[in-house]
Amino acid sequence: MAHMEQADRPEGPIVPDKTPEEIRSEPYNMPGGFEWSDVDINNKEQRHELYTLLANNYVEDDDALFRFDYSEEFLLWALTPPGYRLDFLLGVRAASSKKLIAFISAVPANIKVRSKDRLDVAEINFLCVHKKLRAKRLAPV
């Protein structure tokens, strides 16, 4: 494969940053029977609930023989780096039972790409939807 010279592509974001005014202030509507929920990783019960969701539904192979199994202590460490924000830990709950059935996280990061100044970004991780609910199309929401 031929190496493409850096000069062939301009440096910079693929999509320009949005101003705060351009960012949607209201969350997207959740399908009926589900609701948005903050997840407080510092709360032992909520941390255990997140651990259980991920242990049973996160990344696995096609034969369900291998699945990531992050400990509660690891989740606390991974989701509370310097500058973390609890409002970046988003869950979805069943409206009736309040059971956590989906989760996505973001943590702050500071990166430098090529010669550009350092950028403050959010690293997205742990997107997980309960296996039995994947047909509900919650991930795109």
Side-chain angles (χ1 to χ4, degrees):
M1 179 196 292
H3 175 69
M4 185 178 251
E5 294 296 320
Q6 287 182 351
D8 291 347
R9 291 179 273 164
E11 287 190 26
I14 296 169
V15 176
D17 289 342
K18 292 183 178 185
T19 66
E21 296 76 29
E22 293 175 298
I23 298 172
R24 181 184 176 100
S25 61
E26 294 297 317
Y28 287 101
N29 290 328
M30 193 58 52
F34 302 101
E35 59 191 23
W36 291 108
S37 174
D38 291 332
V39 175
D40 184 353
I41 194 68
N42 296 304
N43 176 287
K44 188 175 181 177
E45 291 79 25
Q46 291 185 42
R47 185 168 55 247
H48 181 71
E49 190 176 21
L50 175 59
Y51 164 78
T52 301
L53 173 70
L54 295 175
N56 294 324
N57 299 280
Y58 198 45
V59 178
E60 69 181 11
D61 66 343
D62 291 339
D63 299 322
L65 298 174
F66 171 83
R67 183 181 304 122
F68 288 157
D69 187 3
Y70 298 115
S71 69
E72 291 182 43
E73 294 78 16
F74 175 83
L75 292 172
L76 179 61
W77 173 81
L79 296 173
T80 59
Y84 77 95
R85 295 175 45 169
L86 284 177
D87 62 332
F88 280 12
L89 309 180
L90 299 173
V92 176
R93 294 186 181 277
S96 57
S97 69
K98 304 300 182 198
K99 181 179 178 177
L100 185 66
I101 53 91
F103 180 77
I104 190 169
S105 69
V107 294
N110 186 270
I111 63 169
K112 182 172 180 154
V113 179
R114 295 186 181 159
S115 65
K116 293 294 183 185
D117 292 334
R118 292 193 172 274
L119 300 171
D120 290 321
V121 298
E123 177 184 322
I124 307 301
N125 205 348
F126 299 111
L127 171 61
C128 179
V129 176
H130 193 287
K131 287 189 265 187
K132 292 182 179 177
L133 298 169
R134 291 182 181 162
K136 300 283 185 187
R137 307 285 301 149
L138 295 173
V141 177

